[in-house]
Amino acid sequence: MTHAAARRRATAIFCFATIYLVWGSTYLTTKIGVRTLPPFLFGGARFLLGGLLLYAVAVALRLRRGEPAPRPTSRDWRHLLVVGFVGVFASNGGNVWGVQHLASNQAALLNVSATFWIALLGTFGKRAHPLGLRTATGLAIGFIGTALIAWPQEGAAANFALGAGTIAVLFACFNWAVATTYLRNIDTTLDVMTFTGLQMIIGGVMMMTLGFALNEAPAWNWNPLGLAMLAYMTLFSSCLAYTAYGWLSVNMTPAQVSTYAFVNPAVATLLGWWVLDEHLNVAQSLGMAVILG
């Protein structure tokens, strides 16, 4: 193995480990965060702060190498607006709103549906990867598992909040898959860190604008626990994990990238049980077993 190949392999392992573990823990931190802070301002602040920090680091690294600060082209700005809207505003906005009404482990399990959409949408575009029979069969079986998790339980059909939360999370997953596919098929003059930082700033501004429009400002407070969750989401989930995911989206196949959606629920379920005393009912447990299988 050449030095370049070994370095690429080490980078891939680090990036996969980051999105597996960090994003697996974000369902717990988001659930705790939105208990004390309004959802869209919580999510918007996370992305705006994380984006500004990431962009500042990207600029500093370029200047240190003697390179000029990044200057996005009009095409870059168009790509940034699309990914900022679909991949941050619509996707994470739906997730952060939906997790208010769902257990963190259930929200994480529903996010497995992103895997199906990523694989299906990954068959389109200039870097398309066709689905083989084995992969298609596995995705179909996994979809059954997702249906078991989302299926209304006794008394839940009349619970509008639970149903709305489920729909919001599933909608968020579809948008995340669209953003992943779009990101994989575009050409940009920006490096991964710069692009990620700018898309987070744009999406964060959109989320905060919605939060203010919904009059969430009076509900904002400086609760230490909520702020601690915000700090964790900003530094680890937004800055570190998003950069890792951006690298993987460009350098790995859609099927490989989407494996995070299978690992995250296991991490989230363990943390939800350990910290929040969350449990899965029989249908949800069966659904999780089907998905992982």
Side-chain angles (χ1 to χ4, degrees):
M1 181 181 295
T2 65
H3 176 72
R7 183 176 180 180
R8 176 184 170 86
R9 178 181 175 84
T11 301
I13 292 173
F14 173 79
C15 289
F16 273 118
T18 298
I19 64 172
Y20 285 168
L21 299 177
V22 173
W23 277 351
S25 67
T26 56
Y27 298 96
L28 172 68
T29 52
T30 299
K31 182 68 176 181
I32 295 174
V34 297
R35 284 179 173 179
T36 57
L37 299 175
F40 292 113
L41 290 184
F42 174 81
R46 160 203 171 183
F47 282 105
L48 180 57
L49 293 173
L52 289 171
L53 179 60
L54 205 57
Y55 181 73
V57 172
V59 172
L61 289 175
R62 290 178 64 92
L63 294 178
R64 184 177 180 180
R65 295 192 297 264
E67 301 173 0
R71 298 182 62 181
T73 65
S74 58
R75 177 179 294 182
D76 291 331
W77 282 117
R78 184 169 66 250
H79 293 325
L80 286 165
L81 287 171
V82 171
V83 179
F85 178 81
V86 181
V88 178
F89 175 72
S91 174
N92 288 276
N95 259 312
V96 77
W97 187 88
V99 81
Q100 296 177 105
H101 309 292
L102 301 172
S104 66
N105 56 14
Q106 186 177 0
L109 289 168
L110 289 174
N111 268 267
V112 176
S113 63
T115 302
F116 316 136
W117 290 117
I118 290 174
L120 290 174
L121 295 176
T123 61
F124 301 96
K126 62 182 180 181
R127 302 187 65 190
H129 281 263
L131 291 178
L133 178 61
R134 181 177 180 181
T135 302
T137 302
L139 292 174
I141 295 173
F143 181 80
I144 295 173
T146 301
L148 287 171
I149 295 167
W151 194 264
Q153 306 304 313
E154 183 179 354
N159 190 328
F160 175 79
L162 181 60
T166 299
I167 293 173
V169 171
L170 292 176
F171 172 77
C173 293
F174 174 75
N175 280 279
W176 179 257
V178 171
T180 299
T181 305
Y182 184 86
L183 182 62
R184 180 174 177 80
N185 288 284
I186 64 173
D187 293 315
T188 176
T189 63
L190 304 175
D191 61 90
V192 171
M193 186 177 292
T194 300
F195 190 96
T196 303
L198 289 175
Q199 80 172 55
M200 286 166 51
I201 293 173
I202 293 171
V205 170
M206 292 178 179
M207 289 181 69
M208 294 197 72
T209 300
L210 179 60
F212 284 118
L214 295 176
N215 198 33
E216 287 187 348
W220 182 268
N221 62 82
W222 301 101
N223 181 280
L225 181 59
L227 295 177
M229 297 301 100
L230 177 60
Y232 177 86
M233 295 290 285
T234 299
L235 295 174
F236 290 94
S237 181
S238 293
C239 292
L240 183 60
Y242 257 81
T243 303
Y245 188 78
W247 187 90
L248 291 172
S249 296
V250 175
N251 292 278
M252 299 287 116
T253 68
Q256 290 171 326
V257 175
S258 65
T259 56
Y260 79 92
F262 293 108
V263 181
N264 288 171
V267 176
T269 299
L270 177 62
L271 291 175
W273 165 77
W274 184 29
V275 179
L276 299 178
D277 197 31
E278 294 178 344
H279 300 278
L280 298 175
N281 57 38
V282 175
Q284 291 170 338
S285 298
L286 179 60
M288 182 175 69
V290 170
I291 286 173
L292 295 179

